[in-house]
């Protein structure tokens, strides 16, 4: 049954890739998977960690990122190619999801200088915690700087609650973590550049830990994140690659 489920979800993800610029409804996805709508949504979430709609939205931003750095198409043309009828809506959602505007992303070549994090909780909330752990490198491959961020879902979309940038795989600390249910997500680019254009699925290694529930102040360790080449079932990395040693550790 697991193989059947994975094949069904894989068909839908392939359909998303093939129709990233066209309207595609959850009903159509469910028909492609050959499941009822309710059953399909539940299985897709189980396999990928996110809803079909969020996966498709992230896939569209990933495609837009690739087009911005690999073509001379205008932002208007790119917005249409990834399914947006309004360039204003596309630009606004791209900025909030990726971290910078489409034009700035193009100008910087897909590498952003800084990540904006969610504001520090005010004093009326419970005291924050710290999370500590290690990121292990992928097998038989070298990676560069490692982004580690705290997100409410298993997808790197929108502002992280906290984040840090490591010079490479190794120990990390996320301080001032507010109470909540979190995923610690990491990504890094392969150093040899053999796997694809910057920001593409083939160019990245990813890893995750969670969900982790933070309920009281203190320091939690023993968080281990194993990086591995990105797979088709992994939600797209929407955030731009970061290259700034002054990125806040939020400690």
């Amino acid at each position: 049954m697991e193989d059947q489920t994975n094949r069904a979800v894989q068909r839908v993800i392939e359909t998303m890739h093939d129709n990233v610029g066209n309207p595609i409804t959850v009903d159509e996805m469910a028909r492609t998977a050959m499941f009822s709508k309710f059953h399909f949504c539940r299985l897709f979430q189980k396999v990928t960690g996110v809803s079909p709609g969020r996966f498709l939205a992230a896939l569209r931003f990933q495609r837009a990122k690739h087009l911005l750095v690999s073509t001379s198409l205008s932002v208007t043309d790119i917005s249409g190619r990834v399914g947006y009828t309004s360039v204003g809506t596309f630009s606004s959602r791209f900025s909030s999801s990726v971290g910078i505007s489409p034009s700035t992303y193009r100008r910087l070549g897909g590498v952003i200088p800084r990540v904006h994090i969610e504001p520090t909780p005010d004093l009326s909330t419970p005291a924050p915690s710290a999370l500590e752990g290690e990121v292990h490198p992928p097998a038989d491959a070298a990676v560069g700087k490692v982004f580690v961020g705290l997100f409410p879902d298993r997808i790197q979309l929108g502002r992280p609650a906290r984040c840090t940038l490591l010079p490479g795989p190794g120990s990390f600390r996320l301080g001032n973590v507010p109470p909540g249910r979190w995923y610690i997500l990491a990504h890094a680019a392969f150093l040899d550049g053999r796997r694809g254009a910057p920001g593409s699925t083939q160019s990245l290694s990813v890893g995750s830990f969670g969900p982790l529930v933070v309920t009281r102040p203190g320091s939690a360790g023993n968080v281990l994140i194993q990086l591995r080449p990105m797979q088709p079932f992994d939600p797209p990395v929407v955030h731009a690659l970061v290259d700034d040693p002054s990125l806040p550790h939020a400690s």
Side-chain angles (χ1 to χ4, degrees), residues 24-239:
I24 177 171
T25 67
V26 175
D27 288 318
E28 291 169 332
M29 296 180 198
R31 286 195 292 271
T32 298
M34 294 186 289
F35 288 119
S36 70
K37 180 178 177 179
F38 173 80
H39 194 49
F40 162 70
C41 289
R42 183 175 64 82
L43 292 177
F44 192 95
Q45 179 96 26
K46 180 180 179 181
V47 172
T48 68
V50 297
S51 70
R54 284 174 66 78
F55 195 102
L56 177 59
L59 191 63
R60 285 173 168 160
F61 289 129
Q62 183 187 63
R63 181 70 60 85
K65 287 163 57 180
H66 174 69
L67 292 173
L68 284 166
V69 298
S70 64
T71 75
S72 59
L73 291 169
S74 69
V75 173
T76 300
D77 288 338
I78 290 172
S79 68
R81 291 198 177 200
V82 297
Y84 282 84
T85 57
S86 165
V87 66
T89 300
F90 165 74
S91 296
S92 175
R93 293 181 180 174
F94 184 98
S95 298
S96 63
S97 298
V98 177
I100 51 177
S101 70
S103 57
T104 303
Y105 183 88
R106 166 173 278 168
R107 178 171 57 82
L108 295 176
V111 179
I112 63 176
R114 192 174 184 82
V115 170
H116 295 289
I117 63 175
E118 290 294 336
T120 301
D122 61 44
L123 297 179
S124 65
T125 62
S129 302
L131 298 175
E132 300 175 348
E134 290 189 1
V135 179
H136 288 191
D140 302 322
V143 297
K145 295 179 180 179
V146 180
F147 172 85
V148 182
L150 195 68
F151 293 87
D153 303 301
R154 274 184 55 191
I155 187 168
Q156 295 186 44
L157 187 152
R159 290 185 179 186
R162 296 293 176 266
C163 63
T164 188
L165 187 68
L166 308 178
S171 300
F172 70 89
R173 183 179 191 274
L174 298 174
N176 204 23
V177 174
R181 183 175 182 271
W182 303 106
Y183 288 88
I184 305 175
L185 307 178
H187 73 261
F190 289 102
L191 283 178
D192 56 18
R194 71 186 185 279
R195 295 177 178 262
S200 70
T201 296
Q202 293 76 23
S203 71
L204 297 178
S205 62
V206 296
S208 66
F209 184 93
L212 178 68
V213 178
V214 177
T215 58
R216 57 188 178 185
S219 184
N222 301 319
V223 174
L224 173 61
I225 299 177
Q226 177 66 57
L227 292 176
R228 55 174 175 74
M230 199 168 183
Q231 302 298 314
F233 293 135
D234 291 317
V237 174
V238 179
H239 260 298

